[in-house]
Amino acid sequence: MKKNFLSNLTFKSNIKKIKENSDYEFDDLNLIEAIVFASREPIHTDYLITKISQNSKSYLNDLLEQMRIRYQNNGVNFIYNDNYCVFKTAPSLKDALIDEFEETKELSRAAKETLAIIAYHQPTTRAEIEEIRGVSSSKGSLDILLECNWVEISGKKDIPGRPLLYRTTKKFLLDFNLADINELPNLSELKREGLLASYQE
């Protein structure tokens, strides 16, 4: 069944909140595992540092490496870099799962607004997206949209710095049941859904 564009832009929190005051002491490694597992999107390492017992980047990196080793031979792998960490299906199993089920993801509000801006203003740059949203855009939002193959890089803008230009893909049209980009709902409908409320046409 095809997705409806507006129905996929309703906001839902994607991280289970950790209680600030708890009667229990959590093992840092298990806590990281639970936080990343509960999230539908990659978790920023800066967030994890605020949750573990030591406010130390090197200590966090040690924990992340332990987690990577723990899952390296499993059906899902723990992947991390300097900024983000996430659970992903082991590469050796991806081909076996392609025909088994359709993966669904709940986008963050930032990713939904970023997708809407690109759809209406394509091709557009990250700076232009931030100007319309009124806040800095997380690189993770664009990464998620690129990973979903709803957005692609279409070139570079001919201005100083040559920033990348982003546009929607054919898969975006297919997944959201749109014959072409002109079938997008108007901006007033998006505002009624609580998105881009500060945007002035």
Side-chain angles (χ1 to χ4, degrees), residues 5 23 37 50 55 63 71 75 80 87 90 106 123 134 137 146 178:
F5 183 70
D23 295 330
F37 179 81
T50 68
N55 187 13
L63 293 173
Y71 280 90
Y80 74 94
F87 283 110
E106 179 71 25
S137 294
L146 289 165
L178 301 169

Side-chain angles (χ1 to χ4, degrees), residues 16 24 62 72 84 89 120 130 160 169 174 186 195 199:
K16 294 181 180 178
Y24 302 95
D62 287 342
Q72 65 182 353
Y84 295 96
T89 303
Y120 286 96
E130 292 176 346
T169 63
L174 290 171
N186 60 47
L195 294 170
Y199 176 67

Side-chain angles (χ1 to χ4, degrees), residues 45 71 82 85 133 142 159 174:
T45 53
Y71 280 90
D82 287 342
C85 52
R133 290 194 67 226
L142 278 171
I159 60 174
L174 290 171

Side-chain angles (χ1 to χ4, degrees), residues 14-44:
N14 73 312
I15 298 177
K16 294 181 180 178
K17 187 175 181 181
I18 304 298
K19 291 182 179 179
E20 298 297 335
N21 299 310
S22 174
D23 295 330
Y24 302 95
E25 291 186 3
F26 296 102
D27 174 85
D28 285 336
L29 196 62
N30 289 338
L31 182 58
I32 289 173
E33 181 180 36
I35 292 173
V36 178
F37 179 81
S39 175
R40 294 182 178 89
E41 295 186 12
I43 291 290
H44 203 289

Side-chain angles (χ1 to χ4, degrees), residues 99-191:
D99 296 328
E100 297 300 323
F101 60 86
E102 180 181 358
E103 183 182 11
T104 59
K105 294 182 179 180
E106 179 71 25
L107 294 180
S108 68
R109 185 185 184 90
K112 291 170 185 174
E113 291 195 342
T114 299
L115 178 59
I117 291 167
I118 293 172
Y120 286 96
H121 296 274
Q122 59 187 305
T124 188
T125 67
R126 181 179 175 183
E128 290 166 344
I129 293 169
E130 292 176 346
E131 182 178 0
I132 293 172
R133 290 194 67 226
V135 295
S136 296
S137 294
S138 165
K139 184 177 182 295
S141 296
L142 278 171
D143 288 345
I144 289 292
L145 298 177
L146 289 165
E147 182 182 336
C148 291
N149 197 23
W150 288 340
V151 166
E152 64 184 2
I153 296 170
S154 62
K156 294 184 177 181
K157 192 164 186 176
D158 191 20
I159 60 174
R162 302 276 291 167
L164 295 174
L165 288 165
Y166 298 91
R167 67 183 179 194
T168 54
T169 63
K170 290 182 179 179
K171 186 175 186 296
F172 166 81
L173 295 175
L174 290 171
D175 283 356
F176 289 94
N177 200 26
L178 301 169
D180 59 54
I181 207 69
N182 295 321
E183 289 189 359
L184 285 170
N186 60 47
L187 289 172
S188 62
E189 291 180 76
L190 291 186
K191 289 181 179 180

